[in-house]
Amino acid sequence: MRQMVAYGCKVFGLGSGLGRVGDTRRAPRTSAALVAAAVFYTGLLRIRSFNALEPRLGEKPFLRLVGAAPERRRLCSVDTVGRALCRMDLVSVRAILVGMLHKAERNKVFREGWHGALRHVAIDGWEPFCSRHRHCPECLVRRVKIKAKDGKTMGVELEYYHRYAVALLIDERFDLVVDIEPVLPKDLRPLVVKGKGPTARLVKVSLDEGELTAGTRLIRRVKQTFGWIDVVVGDALYANGPFLNTLDSLGLGAVIIARRDNDEPLREALHLWAGQAPHKVVEDEKAHEHIALWDCRDLDTLTSYQGKIRCVRGCISKLKRPQDAPSTWCMFVTGKATRLSPEKVLAVARARWHIENTAFHQWTTRWRLGHVFRHHPVALRSLFWLFLAAFDLLTLFQYLQLRSYGRDCGKNVTRTISRLVDEMLDELACWHNLAWDTS
Ligand SMILES: [Zn+2]
C-alpha cells in the first residue's frame, strides 16, 4: 500500500492532483481535496458503500492515508462526502486521470505502441445501473414491460438509467480508461439550428441522445486532450459515414466492426470476395487457431463517407475443435489504420472485447461502480472520475512495478488485483502506530 501510494505521488503527482480538486461549497470544514482523496481510496480499496466508509472516516490509518492533519479525530460524515461530491468541480476531478495518462505517455509507458506502432482506443457504451424508483435530471428514461410469473404482460413501468460512452486505451499488456462522457436526456441536450437564412431558429431536440452522439463528443475531446492517440476501435454502431468523416477530420484512423451484410461497403466487398480463396492464411500456434483472411482496399460505395474504406474479413477456426463452425469477423478500416496487415486488423478488432470483459465486467463486479453511492449527475461523474483514476493507477502499478507479483499469483488478472487489494487493506490496518507522510 505504501509502495503504491508513493508510486502514485512520485510518478503521477497523485497528491497534488487530489489537492487541486475544488468544489462550490462555501467555507467547508473539510476541503474538497480531502473529500476527493477519501473517495479515491474508497474506490481503490473497494469499500462497498458510503455506509461501509462511515467508520473509516474516524480511523487513524484512513485519515493518514487521505492526508488529514494529525490532530484531526474524524474527517467528516458520509453525508458531507455525498454533498461535496454533488458540488465538485468536474474539470479538476478529471484532471487527475488526464495528468496520469500524460505522464505515462511522457514516461514512454506506451512507447512501442501496439499493432503497427499505433495507439488504439476502443469506444463503447456502458450502463452502470438502472432504477424504477429514484431518478435525477440526467437520468435517461425507458418503458419496460412488467411480466407476471406466467409470462403475461401486467403493464408498463418507467425505468431510469444512466449511460456513458467510454474510451479505453487497449494494449497487449494492460488497458487504461481514457475518458467517459454521459449520454444526455432530451432536456439537457444543446439546442439545434433549424431552417436556413432569416427563418433559422434554435429549437429543442425532442429525443434523448443516442450513444453515437455522446461517443462523437467523447472522441473529439479524447483527441483534443491526447493528441498521440491514433486509431479508434468501435462496434457496428459506429460503422457509418458521418462518424468516419469525424474521425478523418480529427486525423484518427478507424477499425470498426461491420455486421450487416447488406450495408455498404460490406456488400460490395462480399460481392468481390464471392468464390475467392483466402488472400492470406495464418496459423497461430500460440492461440491454436487457423485464420483465413480476405482483404479489399479503396472501396467507395458508402456514399455518406468522403474517403475510401478498406474491408477485411477473418474466419477463425480452432485447431483443437475442428468440428466447430469458424467464427467470422468483418472490419472497416480507414486512415492510419490501413497500414496494418489484415491479421493485425483482426487482432485489433478482437481486442475490442477487452472493454466489455476486463473493463465493464470488472467495474461492476469488483469496483462497485454499479453501486449508486449518491444519485446526482455531478456526484456520479465525480465519483466515476475518481474511481477510474484509481483503476488506472492500480493497473499501472501492477503491470509496471509488480511484474513478478502477477506471475507468482497465477494467470487470473482479476483475482491477482483482488489479492493485491486485500493485502493493502491488511497493511492499512497495521498503520495505527505508524508515523507517515503522504505528501
Ligand atoms: Zn439519474
Side-chain angles (χ1 to χ4, degrees):
M1 178 87 211
R2 249 202 296 181
Q3 211 185 328
M4 186 179 116
V5 178
Y7 174 69
C9 290
K10 226 198 235 153
V11 180
F12 297 109
L14 176 67
S16 50
L18 288 167
R20 276 194 289 270
V21 173
D23 65 14
T24 56
R25 290 173 303 153
R26 244 189 285 167
R29 279 224 303 260
T30 308
S31 69
L34 281 175
V35 173
V39 175
F40 178 87
Y41 289 109
T42 300
L44 188 73
L45 297 169
R46 303 183 174 180
I47 297 170
R48 63 182 185 283
S49 64
F50 275 164
N51 271 344
L53 175 67
E54 176 90 58
R56 293 213 178 254
L57 294 172
E59 287 171 10
K60 268 258 151 15
F62 194 81
L63 292 176
R64 206 168 276 152
L65 182 64
V66 300
E71 63 277 8
R72 206 150 172 160
R73 309 270 304 263
R74 192 175 169 75
L75 194 68
C76 57
S77 67
V78 279
D79 280 347
T80 307
V81 174
R83 263 200 312 278
L85 271 179
C86 300
R87 311 278 294 268
M88 229 166 232
D89 166 42
L90 288 171
V91 175
S92 62
V93 189
R94 177 172 173 266
I96 301 170
L97 190 143
V98 170
M100 232 149 71
L101 287 171
H102 276 316
K103 193 63 205 288
E105 207 276 330
R106 279 202 302 278
N107 287 359
K108 309 210 182 333
V109 170
F110 321 120
R111 179 186 42 207
E112 300 123 43
W114 187 33
H115 295 307
L118 297 167
R119 280 80 175 260
H120 300 81
V121 157
I123 176 170
D124 204 358
W126 173 55
E127 189 184 312
F129 64 89
C130 59
S131 163
R132 302 265 167 91
H133 311 289
R134 300 197 178 171
H135 54 100
C136 76
E138 214 174 87
C139 269
L140 301 161
V141 193
R142 65 184 158 218
R143 290 169 184 280
V144 287
K145 283 183 188 156
I146 311 297
K147 292 214 163 139
K149 275 195 185 135
D150 58 3
K152 275 190 192 149
T153 305
M154 306 254 297
V156 174
E157 234 182 276
L158 293 181
E159 189 168 76
Y160 302 94
Y161 64 104
H162 283 243
R163 197 171 170 81
Y164 298 83
V166 176
L168 190 81
L169 190 71
I170 47 176
D171 189 287
E172 224 163 3
R173 294 169 299 167
F174 51 79
D175 309 312
L176 297 173
V177 192
V178 172
D179 207 341
I180 62 167
E181 177 67 21
V183 176
L184 295 175
K186 54 180 186 262
D187 296 340
L188 297 177
R189 291 183 71 172
L191 300 173
V192 293
V193 182
K194 217 168 190 183
K196 273 185 188 159
T199 59
R201 61 205 160 89
L202 285 171
V203 292
K204 266 186 98 74
V205 189
S206 58
L207 281 174
D208 286 352
E209 205 170 64
E211 183 195 317
L212 193 59
T213 313
T216 306
R217 202 163 54 232
L218 172 77
I219 228 60
R220 280 184 194 283
R221 193 172 63 201
V222 164
K223 186 60 185 178
Q224 230 166 44
T225 319
F226 309 102
W228 39 269
I229 282 170
D230 303 299
V231 175
V232 173
V233 189
D235 63 12
L237 175 71
Y238 296 92
N240 62 75
F243 186 74
L244 292 174
N245 283 331
T246 305
L247 295 188
D248 268 5
S249 71
L250 295 168
L252 286 164
V255 174
I256 310 280
I257 311 280
R259 268 195 223 294
R260 281 185 297 207
D261 294 1
N262 275 326
D263 285 0
E264 293 296 351
L266 183 57
R267 200 166 87 134
E268 174 73 5
L270 292 172
H271 175 72
L272 292 169
W273 291 332
Q276 283 188 18
H279 302 164
K280 195 170 183 182
V281 174
V282 180
E283 300 279 340
D284 188 338
E285 303 282 329
K286 237 162 97 191
H288 305 287
E289 285 174 350
H290 171 95
I291 305 171
L293 295 147
W294 287 259
D295 194 351
C296 183
R297 287 176 180 267
D298 298 336
L299 292 170
D300 53 9
T301 47
L302 177 64
T303 46
S304 55
Y305 178 60
Q306 303 141 353
K308 304 214 175 209
I309 299 179
R310 175 181 170 197
C311 250
V312 173
R313 177 172 64 178
C315 280
I316 307 154
S317 328
K318 296 265 174 220
L319 292 174
K320 284 187 172 168
R321 303 177 63 91
Q323 70 278 19
D324 291 3
S327 55
T328 302
W329 294 66
C330 293
M331 285 78 57
F332 295 149
V333 189
T334 62
K336 283 180 198 172
T338 49
R339 77 160 90 131
L340 295 166
S341 65
E343 63 272 27
K344 294 281 183 199
V345 169
L346 178 67
V348 169
R350 292 173 86 187
R352 201 194 70 78
W353 294 101
H354 289 203
I355 201 167
E356 276 165 38
N357 292 343
T358 54
F360 297 167
H361 180 70
Q362 219 188 91
W363 291 355
T364 35
T365 56
R366 311 277 169 164
W367 287 84
R368 308 277 165 204
L369 279 163
H371 174 79
V372 184
F373 285 79
R374 176 91 188 211
H375 195 155
H376 178 280
V378 176
L380 281 166
R381 262 190 269 178
S382 309
L383 183 126
F384 287 156
W385 281 123
L386 290 163
F387 274 36
L388 295 176
F391 170 88
D392 278 0
L393 180 63
L394 192 56
T395 305
L396 286 164
F397 181 65
Q398 194 202 349
Y399 284 92
L400 302 178
Q401 298 290 302
L402 300 179
R403 275 170 278 190
S404 60
Y405 182 94
R407 266 202 304 277
D408 297 344
C409 287
K411 273 195 168 166
N412 186 328
V413 179
T414 313
R415 210 179 52 211
T416 307
I417 297 182
S418 296
R419 238 347 249 115
L420 188 61
V421 172
D422 286 345
E423 281 182 32
M424 290 198 291
L425 279 166
D426 288 347
E427 189 198 321
L428 188 66
C430 305
W431 280 5
H432 274 281
N433 304 311
L434 199 77
W436 180 55
D437 176 17
T438 49
S439 62

